[in-house]
């Protein structure tokens, strides 16, 4: 298998990567839904609000460092396209080193992080002190697993670039199952409340790292041997370029997380009930829309391989974006329809039969129409994100996200005073649409990236067929 070259994307090949990647992508919000379901049956709205606030902080931390998955995905795909197995493994070593270092720093800074979260989300809002205390308990425990989480993120990115999305699905599904079982035991059986919930999630994340390590051993064994193609000097000397790309994607992801944290903060101004309802809906939206990450991950893989290929870049690139775009469009329409048909029933299932479940479901149902529109709003952004990540265009991702975040702030500033929580959801919808539109404005740069004087095709062929 070592040194094998890329193959052009087809509907069948792209779908084979996309569907397991779609299932793998929903694990993070699925963990949130598991938390809600368990707390909804064993606690009250205060605990749900605390989990919401704590989850917002965890999101801004872990998702901000999601650049590890994205940068390693694009770079690994390009190395695979070149047939450079030594560099492929060097990227893994780099990613693991960065992930463990950042995760350890987060674990050591747990108390300052908790304090900052309390000031921003509790003291300056209408969230209750009880919800704030629940949030602090949740954060203290979850952050113990930060090194495992970020090391696993690096492994998942490395696997993604090689189209090993079945392994992605297996690892992330296992994390979800372990978390669900431990949550039921700790919260419902042992009555440990939000502390038990956080412990269950942290333990499942540690288990995820162990499973990721096994996946690495399997892949390296299949691709040249576990002991072959390792070069520590290559990993050390190439670290600067990876850090530069990571910086841009970090800033891009940080902007997303700031928007989501602002969404939670503004929602907290409407009280604990609205916080809980928004948390339920947002986790449902993320679980559904992150299914669109599958076509985006397929785009990452095929675009990266196209740009790493020694010849015929235009043909590979054109096939990559076209075939994955078809899957994304179909999936978005199906998901939006599913939200319209099953959204109300899902809310009842998620929240369950706890003491405050009825009022939380009723409040969430008021804003359900916005959730129904989200798959259509985010499809373009997700797909184009995948193309840009595969091309390792970190600066463009950063800049377009900055514009979108500014638009969210301006829209929320105008609409929230007029429409209350409806205005907040509308501002989030505008933000998602803007992401795709701004990325489309930078599309012309790809024409230069795929041009290759070594390609045998004449100038009037594939390169001219790229979108204008």
């Amino acid at each position: 298998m070592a040194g094998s070259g890329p193959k052009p994307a087809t509907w069948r090949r792209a779908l084979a990567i996309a569907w397991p990647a779609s299932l793998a992508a929903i694990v993070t919000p699925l963990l949130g839904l598991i938390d809600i379901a368990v707390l909804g049956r064993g606690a009250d709205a205060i605990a749900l609000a605390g989990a919401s606030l704590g989850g917002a902080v965890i999101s801004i931390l872990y998702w901000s460092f999601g650049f590890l998955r994205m940068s390693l995905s694009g770079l690994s795909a390009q190395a695979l396209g070149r047939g450079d197995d030594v560099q492929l493994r060097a990227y893994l070593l780099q990613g693991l080193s960065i992930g463990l270092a950042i995760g350890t720093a987060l674990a050591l800074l747990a108390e300052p992080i908790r304090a900052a979260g309390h000031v921003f989300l509790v003291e300056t809002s209408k969230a209750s002190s009880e919800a704030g205390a629940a949030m602090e308990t949740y954060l203290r425990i979850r952050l113990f697993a930060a090194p495992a989480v970020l090391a696993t993120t690096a492994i998942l990115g490395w696997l993604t670039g090689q189209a090993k999305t079945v392994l992605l699905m297996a690892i992330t599904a296992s994390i979800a199952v372990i978390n669900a079982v431990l949550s039921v035991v700790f919260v419902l059986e042992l009555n440990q409340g939000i502390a038990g919930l956080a412990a269950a999630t942290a333990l499942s994340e540690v288990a995820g790292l162990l499973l990721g390590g096994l996946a690495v051993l399997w892949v390296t064994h299949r691709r040249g041997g576990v002991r072959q193609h390792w070069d520590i000097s290559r990993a050390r000397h190439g670290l600067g370029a990876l850090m530069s790309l990571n910086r841009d994607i970090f800033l891009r992801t940080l902007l997303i997380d700031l928007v989501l944290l602002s969404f939670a903060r503004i929602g907290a101004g409407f009280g604990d009930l609205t916080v809980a309802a928004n948390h339920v809906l947002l986790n449902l939206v993320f679980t559904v829309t992150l299914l669109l990450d599958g076509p985006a991950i397929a785009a990452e893989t095929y675009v990266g391989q196209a740009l790493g290929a020694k010849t015929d870049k235009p043909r590979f690139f054109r096939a990559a974006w076209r075939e994955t775009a078809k899957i994304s469009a179909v999936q978005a329409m199906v998901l939006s329809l599913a939200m319209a048909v099953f959204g109300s029933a899902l809310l009842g299932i998620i929240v369950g039969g706890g003491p405050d479940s009825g009022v939380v479901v009723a409040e969430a149902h008021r804003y359900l129409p916005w959730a129904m529109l989200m798959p259509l709003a985010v499809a373009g952004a997700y797909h184009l994100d995948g193309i840009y990540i595969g091309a390792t265009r970190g600066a463009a991702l950063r800049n377009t996200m900055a514009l979108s975040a500014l638009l969210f702030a301006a829209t929320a500033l105008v609409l929230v005073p007029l429409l209350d929580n409806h205005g907040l959801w509308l501002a989030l919808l505008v933000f998602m649409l803007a992401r795709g539109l701004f990325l489309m404005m930078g599309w012309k740069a790809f024409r230069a990236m795929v041009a290759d004087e070594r390609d045998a095709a004449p100038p009037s062929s594939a390169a001219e067929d790229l979108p204008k």
Side-chain angles (χ1 to χ4, degrees):
M1 292 180 63
S4 58
K7 296 179 180 178
T10 63
W11 171 275
R12 185 184 297 274
R13 289 173 184 159
L15 189 61
I17 295 175
W19 75 261
S22 291
L23 296 180
I26 67 173
V27 167
T28 296
L30 184 60
L31 294 179
L33 291 179
I34 291 170
D35 289 352
I36 293 168
V38 172
L39 285 179
R41 288 158 175 81
D44 53 21
I46 297 297
L48 278 173
S52 170
L53 298 173
V57 176
I58 289 293
S59 292
I60 198 171
L61 292 175
Y62 290 170
W63 287 18
S64 293
F65 298 110
F67 61 73
L68 284 170
R69 189 205 69 77
M70 290 181 278
S71 62
L72 284 174
S73 173
L75 291 169
S76 298
Q78 291 180 20
L80 186 67
R82 295 191 301 270
D84 189 347
D85 288 278
V86 174
Q87 188 60 57
L88 186 64
R89 299 195 186 194
Y91 286 140
L92 174 63
L93 295 176
Q94 292 171 352
L96 286 173
S97 299
I98 296 170
L100 288 171
I102 294 172
T104 300
L106 291 178
L108 293 174
L109 294 171
E111 285 306 303
I113 291 169
R114 174 204 60 76
H118 191 276
V119 169
F120 187 71
L121 292 175
V122 180
E123 292 182 7
T124 60
S125 75
K126 292 184 180 179
S128 66
S129 59
E130 291 84 359
M135 176 198 72
E136 293 178 26
T137 298
Y138 187 82
L139 287 175
R140 285 192 184 100
I141 297 170
R142 282 290 305 275
L143 287 171
F144 278 116
V149 171
L150 294 178
T152 305
T153 299
I155 291 173
L156 295 180
W158 188 73
L159 294 173
T160 298
Q162 299 173 75
K164 304 298 184 183
T165 52
V166 172
L167 284 176
L168 240 70
M169 179 181 65
I171 293 168
T172 54
S174 297
I175 294 172
V177 170
I178 293 169
N179 181 64
V181 172
L182 292 179
S183 294
V184 169
V185 172
F186 290 169
V187 178
L188 299 184
E189 298 296 328
L190 300 179
N191 296 316
Q192 294 299 305
I194 199 166
L197 187 75
T201 306
L203 288 172
S204 69
E205 289 165 340
V206 173
L209 177 58
L210 298 176
L211 294 170
L214 292 175
V216 167
L217 291 176
W218 187 85
V219 170
T220 53
H221 170 73
R222 297 273 295 174
R223 192 170 179 86
V226 174
R227 298 183 179 181
Q228 305 301 315
H229 307 303
W230 298 102
D231 187 341
I232 301 298
S233 63
R234 181 90 73 98
R236 183 173 61 252
H237 295 314
L239 198 57
L242 177 61
M243 290 300 294
S244 177
L245 175 61
N246 282 342
R247 179 200 62 216
D248 290 331
I249 300 180
F250 166 76
L251 293 173
R252 169 259 184 200
T253 309
L254 180 62
L255 287 166
I256 295 179
D257 290 332
L258 287 174
V259 168
L260 296 177
L261 189 61
S262 297
F263 183 92
R265 169 62 183 84
I266 296 170
F270 301 119
D272 286 348
L273 181 60
T274 301
V275 168
N278 280 353
H279 182 54
V280 172
L281 268 182
L282 205 56
N283 272 277
L284 178 59
V285 166
F286 283 162
T287 302
V288 171
T289 58
L290 279 178
L291 289 168
L292 293 165
D293 229 21
I297 286 173
E300 291 175 24
T301 301
Y302 278 114
V303 167
Q305 291 182 20
L307 296 178
K310 294 181 173 63
T311 60
D312 215 7
K313 282 184 172 69
R315 181 172 68 90
F316 283 129
F317 179 75
R318 185 175 68 251
W321 75 259
R322 282 184 175 175
E323 298 306 318
T324 54
K326 293 174 187 176
I327 298 172
S328 183
V330 171
Q331 201 168 13
M333 290 185 285
V334 171
L335 291 174
S336 186
L337 179 61
M339 287 288 287
V341 175
F342 302 110
S344 295
L346 287 173
L347 289 177
I349 293 170
I350 293 167
V351 177
D356 295 315
S357 61
V359 291
V360 172
V361 170
E363 181 70 5
H365 198 273
R366 294 178 57 197
Y367 311 108
L368 183 59
W370 300 112
M372 297 175 186
L373 296 174
M374 283 294 175
L376 297 175
V378 306
Y382 277 37
H383 182 249
L384 287 164
D385 273 351
I387 293 174
Y388 276 69
I389 290 166
T392 59
R393 291 187 60 192
L397 286 167
R398 177 199 63 204
N399 295 339
T400 55
M401 189 60 68
L403 292 173
S404 302
L406 287 173
L407 185 58
F408 169 80
T411 307
L413 186 66
V414 172
L415 294 178
V416 170
L418 295 175
L419 301 173
D420 295 326
N421 200 46
H422 284 289
L424 181 60
W425 277 96
L426 179 54
L428 186 64
L429 189 74
V430 170
F431 167 73
M432 296 298 184
L433 288 168
R435 288 173 56 192
L437 291 174
F438 288 136
L439 287 171
M440 279 300 301
M441 292 171 65
W443 185 262
K444 287 184 179 179
F446 283 106
R447 292 173 60 81
M449 292 186 70
V450 301
D452 190 341
E453 66 274 10
R454 292 172 297 179
D455 290 341
S460 61
S461 63
E464 297 302 316
D465 196 29
L466 294 174
K468 302 296 189 288

